[in-house]
Amino acid sequence: MTLQWYPGHMHKAQKEMREVLPKVDLVIEVLDARIPFSSENPLIASLRGEKPVVKVLTKSDLADPDNIALWQAYLDEQKQTKTMAVSTQEPAKIHTLPELCRKLAPEKTRGLKKLKAMILGIPNVGKSTLINTLAGRAVAKTGNEPAVTKRQQTIDIDEHFVLLDTPGILWPKQEVRNCSYRLALTGAIKDTALDYVDVAFFGADYIRKNYPEALIERYGLKELPDSELEVLELIAARRGCLGAGGRADLNKVSQLFVNDFRSGNLGRISLETPDIVAAEVKEAKELAQLKAEQKEKDKAARRKRRRKNS
């Protein structure tokens, strides 16, 4: 599945980012701890160049703690990169972010100059909540839906640290298999742009294979069936999501299931690991290469036909 959701203000935000990035000292990239790769915009890496980056894994209370540790170790190996995992339940930990930024860019903190950081992230990863916690006041609009922030703003956190907030931006097309599903399941893509049933099938299949106990405990199942459809049908029977003839109402049960995941009712679940991502990236590159080769073959065939007919 490839979900495309790229509102016009995101295109404008991308242009503004390109203009402002040369003026900041470092970048803070906010990622969803459940999907650190899928919620990482590849555009940001290309735009920031050699600038230091702090990758903040939010919603860590919803993610598998063992998997968070794997991702932090993986990301910390990248050049000029530090990570921290936080949740809204840990305001004291969030307040250590400015100090981590100063340690990552020590040469920028000498003298009277303020450290200026641009904070970036895709929609609905908790960026605005993070900013409001740091500022100690409501300076960024929050909401349980993507694309709440519509314009850039500068926020003084203290006398030595300034944040430049930007609208959350997705990229026009996701090439890696399952990234769109993960983004949709976690709520980064507006619900009007997705098919709940399609997304629920992906989530039920992944969780059935990787966190079966979460389904058994949440929905009181005696055992798990062999397919995602049967999982959703069992949940529908348990929760009264039935339609005509007592059959499962897939739209209703899919919305229930997706909302249970997003709210943490299924427990602490991560949707990707570094190994899963590495395999999918390799697959995407191989597919892109095959498409490029086929395109060249088609062009050569057209040229041959034109020569033959001329």
Side-chain angles (χ1 to χ4, degrees), residues 28 70 75 84 95 98 105 107 119 121 124 128 154 163 172 175 183 195 211 218 229 235 256 261 265 274 288-289 295:
I28 298 171
L70 282 176
L75 294 170
M84 67 183 301
H95 282 292
E107 73 284 356
I119 186 164
N124 208 30
S128 294
T154 301
L163 277 182
E175 300 290 352
L183 290 165
D195 180 342
Y211 298 91
R218 173 63 180 169
L229 172 60
I235 296 171
L256 180 147
F261 171 80
N265 288 335
Q289 179 64 29
K295 187 176 180 180

Side-chain angles (χ1 to χ4, degrees), residues 151-176:
R151 60 182 177 82
Q152 290 187 354
Q153 62 174 329
T154 301
I155 303 156
D156 288 316
I157 300 301
D158 58 40
E159 68 237 20
H160 303 299
F161 191 65
V162 177
L163 277 182
L164 179 63
D165 184 20
T166 62
I169 57 171
L170 287 173
W171 49 109
K173 190 174 182 180
Q174 293 87 32
E175 300 290 352
V176 177

Side-chain angles (χ1 to χ4, degrees), residues 19 34 44 46-47 64 77 85 96 103 131 146 150 177 208 211 226 233 247 268 296:
E19 295 171 1
R34 297 167 295 180
I44 293 173
S46 65
L47 288 179
D64 183 333
E77 290 182 354
T96 66
K103 288 180 179 177
I131 292 170
K150 296 291 195 299
R177 181 170 59 91
R208 178 180 67 86
Y211 298 91
D226 296 328
E233 287 176 335
R247 293 190 297 271
R268 300 180 67 172
E296 286 302 313

Side-chain angles (χ1 to χ4, degrees), residues 50-226:
E50 295 295 315
K51 288 187 185 294
V53 60
V54 176
K55 295 181 183 286
V56 182
L57 278 59
T58 58
K59 306 186 182 185
S60 63
D61 56 322
L62 300 178
D64 183 333
D66 292 336
N67 205 40
I68 292 174
L70 282 176
W71 275 108
Q72 285 197 265
Y74 174 81
L75 294 170
D76 280 336
E77 290 182 354
Q78 297 175 3
K79 186 178 180 181
Q80 289 279 74
T81 302
K82 292 292 183 184
T83 64
M84 67 183 301
V86 301
S87 77
T88 55
Q89 312 302 316
E90 303 172 299
K93 189 172 183 180
I94 292 173
H95 282 292
T96 66
L97 178 57
E99 183 57 31
L100 179 59
C101 291
R102 283 189 276 268
K103 288 180 179 177
L104 191 56
E107 73 284 356
K108 302 294 184 179
T109 60
R110 299 190 184 101
L112 300 176
K113 182 184 175 184
K114 289 185 176 181
L115 184 66
K116 186 178 290 186
M118 176 179 280
I119 186 164
L120 308 165
I122 69 167
N124 208 30
V125 289
K127 176 169 64 70
S128 294
T129 300
L130 182 75
I131 292 170
N132 290 341
T133 301
L134 282 171
R137 61 194 188 279
V139 293
K141 186 178 179 182
T142 61
N144 192 26
E145 62 177 36
V148 171
T149 305
K150 296 291 195 299
R151 60 182 177 82
Q152 290 187 354
Q153 62 174 329
T154 301
I155 303 156
D156 288 316
I157 300 301
D158 58 40
E159 68 237 20
H160 303 299
F161 191 65
V162 177
L163 277 182
L164 179 63
D165 184 20
T166 62
I169 57 171
L170 287 173
W171 49 109
K173 190 174 182 180
Q174 293 87 32
E175 300 290 352
V176 177
R177 181 170 59 91
N178 294 331
C179 273
S180 292
Y181 279 119
R182 296 180 190 120
L183 290 165
L185 189 55
T186 56
I189 297 173
K190 210 172 184 67
D191 286 347
T192 54
L194 60 88
D195 180 342
Y196 265 106
V197 176
D198 203 17
V199 175
F201 267 57
F202 168 79
D205 183 53
Y206 177 86
I207 296 172
R208 178 180 67 86
K209 293 173 180 175
N210 295 278
Y211 298 91
E213 68 286 350
L215 295 172
I216 291 171
E217 183 176 340
R218 173 63 180 169
Y219 301 112
L221 307 180
K222 292 182 180 179
E223 59 183 21
L224 280 182
D226 296 328

